[in-house]
Amino acid sequence: MSAYARARHIVVSAGAALALALWLTPAASPAEPVDVELVLAVDVSLSMSPAELEIQRHGYAAALTHDNVLKAIADGAYGKIAVTYMEWAGTTWQRVVVPWTVIANRADAERVVAQLNARPPDSARRTSISGALSFGSDLFAESGFKGTKRVIDVSGDGPNNQGAPVTFTRDEVVRQGITINGLPLMTRGGFSGAFDVENLDRYYSDCVIGGPGAFMIPVNDWTQFPEAIRRKLVLELADAASPQWAAEEAAHPPVVLADDGPAADCLAGEKMWRNRGWGMP
């Protein structure tokens, strides 16, 4: 066999092998379509008391199984959402409690609640909202779903005091097409005091939330928490032109939408930590 023939034989053989390998490789499964991919990012830093951690868990459980929330899900174009529940504290402390799960009906929602109730919440030091947002945005890459909207729903009772500046991470996440909504917990019960931020709702509005239609709902007392979570989920899941959205707006004060130009000090938490006289959660 001539050198030319041998070379041509090798090329043909390599091409045939590649074609066979591609034929044998299973095609990637298409992502399942849902109306919303929702990351519930919940603060469990030491500024939260054990009782408050339980109130949070129970509040999310009650909201996910509420008739209004289930109706908002059912009224979507696909009639289902994908949700994951994670807890966070410091820069490197994030834990997925409920992995990505479809909710299309009450039975699905109750399965999520069962996972929430399977073990008590943990707690850890420091508060890194930026770490929670970064971790939450990464979760979308492994969801296996394709939502018409992607949302991180972050709740917390203090400003960012560890990790990247929260505005830097927020802007990075928003550039990925992800909306960040907030639930500032303006409550006191854990390790609080001189390091509390005045007007945490303003801090969340100016420094944390972002993306199309972003909003936040402040919680001034723990008795308000279950209703705030329920309302927040309805607004995230219902179409802005739907009767449910209109009913929520009529029954409650307007939500605070993201606006231009921050007025709050978005490095307030970092400054307080740097100038602290004793340990801060």
Side-chain angles (χ1 to χ4, degrees), residues 40-245:
L40 299 174
V42 181
D43 181 6
V44 294
S45 60
L46 289 179
S47 56
M48 307 283 289
S49 71
E52 290 172 337
L53 294 177
E54 287 296 332
I55 291 173
Q56 280 196 124
R57 282 279 188 93
H58 294 156
Y60 278 99
L64 288 169
T65 54
H66 195 282
D67 287 343
N68 290 5
V69 173
L70 295 174
K71 185 177 187 311
I73 294 172
D75 287 348
Y78 297 104
K80 57 185 175 180
I81 67 168
V83 62
T84 183
Y85 184 104
M86 58 160 284
E87 294 176 334
W88 60 273
T91 305
T92 60
W93 202 101
Q94 300 92 23
R95 182 166 67 90
V96 173
V97 178
V98 180
W100 284 107
T101 305
V102 167
I103 297 180
N105 51 48
R106 182 172 298 278
D108 294 338
E110 288 174 349
R111 279 192 288 271
V112 171
V113 169
Q115 292 182 78
L116 279 179
N117 294 333
R119 56 175 293 181
D122 292 324
S123 191
R125 298 182 72 246
R126 304 295 293 270
T127 300
S128 182
I129 301 174
S130 58
L133 294 178
S134 180
F135 184 86
S137 67
D138 287 344
L139 290 177
F140 290 109
E142 58 191 55
S143 76
F145 300 96
K146 183 174 179 58
T148 56
K149 182 166 62 173
R150 295 186 295 168
V151 178
I152 297 177
D153 182 340
V154 59
S155 63
D157 72 343
N160 193 76
N161 64 40
Q162 189 181 41
V166 67
T167 52
F168 175 82
T169 304
R170 175 200 62 193
D171 294 345
E172 285 290 313
V173 171
V174 169
R175 276 193 287 270
Q176 299 174 44
I178 299 167
T179 296
I180 303 165
N181 294 330
L183 193 78
L185 307 174
M186 301 167 68
T187 55
R188 300 292 178 263
F191 292 93
S192 59
F195 299 107
D196 293 336
V197 171
E198 287 293 326
N199 303 319
L200 184 65
D201 52 349
R202 187 67 190 180
Y203 176 89
Y204 261 69
S205 178
D206 292 339
C207 309
V208 178
I209 66 176
F215 66 91
M216 67 91 189
I217 298 177
V219 174
N220 296 296
D221 185 88
W222 280 108
T223 58
Q224 302 172 354
F225 186 79
E227 174 65 15
I229 287 293
R230 181 206 61 76
R231 184 181 176 221
K232 192 161 183 290
L233 287 177
V234 169
L235 293 175
E236 286 168 336
L237 303 177
D239 186 88
S242 69
Q244 270 195 289
W245 182 289

Side-chain angles (χ1 to χ4, degrees), residues 5-43:
R6 284 197 299 271
R8 185 173 181 277
H9 175 73
I10 291 172
V11 170
V12 171
S13 298
L18 177 60
L20 178 62
L22 291 174
W23 182 77
L24 291 174
T25 301
S29 300
E32 180 179 350
V34 294
D35 292 300
V36 181
E37 293 174 76
L38 178 62
V39 174
L40 299 174
V42 181
D43 181 6

